[in-house]
Amino acid sequence: MEVKNICCIGAGYVGGPTMSVIAQQCPHITVTIVDINAERIAAWNDSDLSRLPVYEPGLAEVVAEARGRNLFFSTDVDGAIAGADMVFISVNTPTKTYGKGKGMAADLKYIELCARQIAAAATSDKIIVEKSTLPVRTAEALKSILHNTGNGVSFHILSNPEFLAEGTAIQDLHRPDRVLIGGENAEAVQALVDIYATWVPRERVLTTNLWSSELSKLTANAFLAQRVSSINAISELCERTGANVDEVARAIGTDSRIGPKFLKASVGFGGSCFQKDILNLVYIARSYGLEEVAHYWEQVISMNDHQKQRFADNIVQTLYNTVSGKKIAFLGWAFKKDTNDTRESAAIYVADALLNEEANIIVYDPKVSAEQVYADLDYLGTRAPKENRRLVSVVDDPYDAAERAHAIAVLTEWDEFRDYDWQRIKDHMMKPAFVFDGRKLLADNRLADLGFTYYAIGE
Ligand code: NAD
Ligand code: UDX
């Protein structure tokens, strides 16, 4: 099976970068990315590449190379499906907010809509690829919908979960640790292997059965998040005992069985994946009656919630047990550096806890808009939107954020924060000038030497 036309449904943080790289690496394949969100598609088509809807280092260059050549962004979902040999489903699979499994299970309504739309629009045989992260055995449901449409075309379903991390998406896609493809039909699997083998060494393309592939994605995210919660649990112990969590991480990370990556203590992990995927894993385990398994993974989330809460509590306690009416400057709102994505960012929850104490928060993030900050807080529903706007302001100059602030909280590890003129910042703050570093970004004694009262996670 030779694939000449690819359609990808969903032009988000995964569909956009992933398909752009496939198009860049495979000029012989036409790739059309479609989305029902017309504004998003217009932004992907914007001639000003700084206005792409996803900020990722290196992405604009890839889009510039392939767009208009063999990479297209469109709202014509049916047309793109009909013309494709292979259809990737890369739509969102958020945690359910209603009904059975509310707050735990993945909401598969967008996936089912895609399947029904593919079934209705297809006039020739197609390979359907699950790119979204899905509960194990979702392919079974997809099969059932696709095979019962009655228009005589046949579908092969593959699972091809995406392992890119935001902020490093392009390098992860160019040089993946592995590509995972699960499927039953050998020819369909080979067709997708051939696409990746254009630029990924063949030994890095792993093939498994469908269910192993689906489950491996949830498992990978659960293991990664577990490492962060494990080191964050130790960070609290470090704060009580005089140990330094970075030193502990270095000491254990040199053990080749543990390894050095993903051991950075922080204010808590965020992002659209970790929490959602672990909750989903817990839900699945529980649905099979595996209470101990469910409980085990649930602790990763509990520890993360605790880490965010205790960061906020420490600010309140240190500021003489009241932050009411005090200005707290937030450096960073994104869930990690080098992305404009704020989904589940620790900053949102720390802000919410401080707003409950009537703090005034002033936010600076190099890539996040004021509109997004307010949308994130409003989404929590803790207080009226008007109240969020009264208590929170967003500025585009970090020195303005620090002006007359009682404290600075570092929520995201943006590199530029290191290079600020911290003397100038201190001069304009209230005294004592407190810094709460949720990323251990400035933990080199520099701030203490300048006379800040400096607190870092795990010190
Ligand atoms: P996203 O919300 O950024 O993008 C999803 C897009 O799908 C949206 O633009 C939405 O409008 C579109 N969409 C939804 N239903 C549609 C339909 N019926 N037809 C056309 N378009 C439709 O989400 P994302 O971050 O790209 O994640 C997509 C999937 O990839 C999720 O399952 C996620 O778990 C998984 N994933 C995400 C990451 C990550 O870093 N963000 C990494 C690996 C895997
Ligand atoms: C994650 C997975 O890494 C990726 O493989 C998957 O495809 C999607 O989910 P992402 O959420 O984009 O990627 O970023 P990641 O680098 O994993 O960071 C997630 C969160 O954990 C961030 O808030 C980050 O700051 C935090 N983190 C990560 C730590 O606090 N410490 C670490 O050592 C690593």
Side-chain angles (χ1 to χ4, degrees), residues 397-415:
D397 180 334
Y399 298 96
D400 288 348
E403 185 73 37
R404 299 191 61 74
H406 285 81
I408 290 179
V410 180
L411 276 307
T412 312
E413 73 283 23
W414 286 102
D415 291 332

Side-chain angles (χ1 to χ4, degrees), residues 8-17 34-38 40-41 44 54 56 75 77 89-94 109-115 117 131-134 161-167 169 217 221 271-273 276-277 335 341 343:
C8 172
I9 310 178
Y13 282 87
V14 169
V34 291
D35 205 295
I36 40 175
N37 182 338
R40 217 168 202 186
I41 290 298
W44 280 112
V54 171
E56 273 295 336
T75 50
V77 182
I89 302 179
S90 187
V91 299
N92 36 331
T93 49
K109 71 178 170 203
Y110 306 106
I111 295 290
E112 175 162 351
L113 276 171
C114 284
Q117 196 158 3
K131 183 50 104 179
S132 296
T133 301
L134 297 170
E162 184 48 59
F163 294 99
L164 69 79
E166 289 179 29
K217 177 62 199 177
N221 274 350
S272 64
C273 293
K276 158 178 87 74
D277 292 347
F335 81 96
D341 196 349
R343 290 177 288 181

